[in-house]
Amino acid sequence: MGTTLMTGGTRGLGRHAAAHLLRTRPDDHLVLLVRGDGDIARQLTRETGNPNVTTVRCDLASLADIRRAAAEVRERLATRPPLTGFLANAGLQMTSTEATTADGFELTFGVNVLANHLLLNLLLDLFANPARIIVVGSGVHFGDGKNGLGVVPPPRWDGVTALAAPRPGGVRAGREAYATSKLGVVYLVHALKRRLPAGIDVYSYAPGFVPGTGLIRDAGVLSRAAVATVGQLLRATPIGAGPAKAGRTLARTLTGPRPGDSGEYVDRGVAMRSSEESYDRAREEELWAVADELCGLAATRRTA
């Protein structure tokens, strides 16, 4: 028996992944970090027949709330099975680069990268061995037309401090920030892999093109309608999938056979090489060090 901690489990492919985990791992416990209170745990119990699901309120756009939620998770795990899985599915894409987190960071980078860095580091000592960590990224980090569908620009890595700062920019800048944050996810996973003991594996994961997830809910009505139309067409192609299928594949990657060596990039359950740009140890270590400073972890490490 074990406990899986999950973000982004209330809608879209994440909701389907959570349901699949509950159906296929009836003796495990699932803890969902959710932004609001809601009744997602009761809904999932009714849907799957498995009562082993609880929620912890957490706003991933607030470092203080992440710390509070991590402390609550730590308290709960004192009386529950050990932490054996972590599924970081939450993410967002904004229509600008001007929105900020509660701490003043550019919102996309703050939630997609810094929140995962802080949450994982606050909980690392709780993981059992073996354990598996998956951080959801995206194929858009390749910066090509195939993965970006001609809509998402290539990532632009300007350094962590610059990327974490809000700046003027409209829809294109927001999409570029999203692609860049997903490149940051790969860097984060590579850096974390070097710091984990053997037996605790970490992967970046690309779910493919999955319409109906709510990812672009910040976009305008026309943009959402266009993506929905294209998405329905792409679901029947190799690059697309519906939320239910994508969620099952994501859940199986967490609980099934080891998909590859720790640190690898997994595309819809299959380990493969990520973009050439994603193999940059200097950037990976810069991200780790600057994220430590921005998240308030550096002082703790110096005194540990």
Side-chain angles (χ1 to χ4, degrees):
M1 293 192 300
T3 295
T4 293
L5 183 65
M6 181 179 181
T7 68
T10 61
R11 58 160 61 94
L13 72 94
R15 168 69 177 268
H16 289 284
H20 187 81
L21 290 172
L22 290 168
R23 289 191 180 102
T24 59
R25 311 276 286 206
D27 294 328
D28 286 2
H29 195 86
L30 178 63
V31 178
L32 299 175
L33 295 188
V34 298
R35 186 172 182 179
D37 294 327
D39 65 344
I40 184 65
R42 289 190 294 273
Q43 292 173 18
L44 284 167
T45 292
R46 288 196 299 267
E47 181 181 332
T48 66
N50 186 345
N52 293 328
V53 53
T54 57
T55 61
V56 171
R57 183 177 56 79
C58 181
D59 181 357
L60 294 174
S62 166
L63 298 183
D65 209 49
I66 292 171
R67 289 182 177 278
R68 181 203 54 74
E72 184 174 341
V73 169
R74 185 176 292 275
E75 290 178 4
R76 292 195 186 188
L77 284 175
T79 57
R80 286 192 172 89
L83 187 61
T84 56
F86 182 91
L87 182 49
N89 177 61
L92 51 78
Q93 177 182 322
M94 303 301 294
T95 55
S96 77
T97 47
E98 299 178 15
T100 62
T101 68
D103 305 279
F105 302 124
E106 191 278 318
L107 189 56
T108 299
F109 195 82
V111 171
N112 294 0
V113 181
L114 295 181
N116 284 319
H117 181 77
L118 178 59
L119 188 56
L120 280 166
N121 275 280
L122 291 175
L123 299 175
L124 276 183
D125 64 304
L126 297 180
F127 281 95
N129 195 324
R132 190 173 299 175
I133 300 166
I134 292 179
V135 185
V136 173
S138 172
V140 299
H141 89 275
F142 280 92
D144 56 18
K146 174 186 174 183
N147 287 280
L149 300 177
V151 175
V152 181
R156 179 178 174 178
W157 194 262
D158 291 328
V160 181
T161 302
L163 293 172
R167 51 205 179 272
V171 173
R172 180 178 175 83
R175 291 172 179 168
E176 180 182 85
Y178 176 72
T180 305
S181 74
K182 294 306 184 179
L183 177 61
V185 164
V186 183
Y187 288 150
L188 182 65
V189 165
H190 288 170
L192 179 57
K193 180 258 181 182
R194 291 191 288 272
R195 291 163 169 83
L196 290 174
I200 301 180
D201 294 333
V202 60
Y203 303 94
S204 53
Y205 183 89
F209 184 76
V210 187
T213 63
L215 177 65
I216 62 166
R217 55 188 176 273
D218 187 54
V221 174
L222 293 179
S223 294
R224 295 199 304 271
V227 170
T229 300
V230 173
Q232 291 303 315
L233 297 174
L234 291 177
R235 284 174 68 160
T237 72
I239 68 171
K245 179 180 179 181
R248 290 192 300 269
T249 304
L250 175 58
R252 289 168 184 156
T253 303
L254 182 72
T255 61
R258 195 166 181 248
D261 292 336
S262 182
E264 287 196 288
Y265 173 77
V266 180
D267 185 333
R268 289 163 288 181
V270 179
M272 60 175 286
R273 189 170 176 83
S274 52
S275 72
E276 291 306 313
E277 187 180 8
S278 71
Y279 297 95
D280 189 323
R281 184 160 180 154
R283 287 183 179 179
E284 294 162 8
E285 292 303 312
E286 177 213 13
L287 174 58
W288 190 271
V290 178
D292 266 5
E293 293 287 348
L294 297 177
C295 293
L297 292 167
T300 303
R301 295 196 201 281
R302 285 192 291 266
T303 58

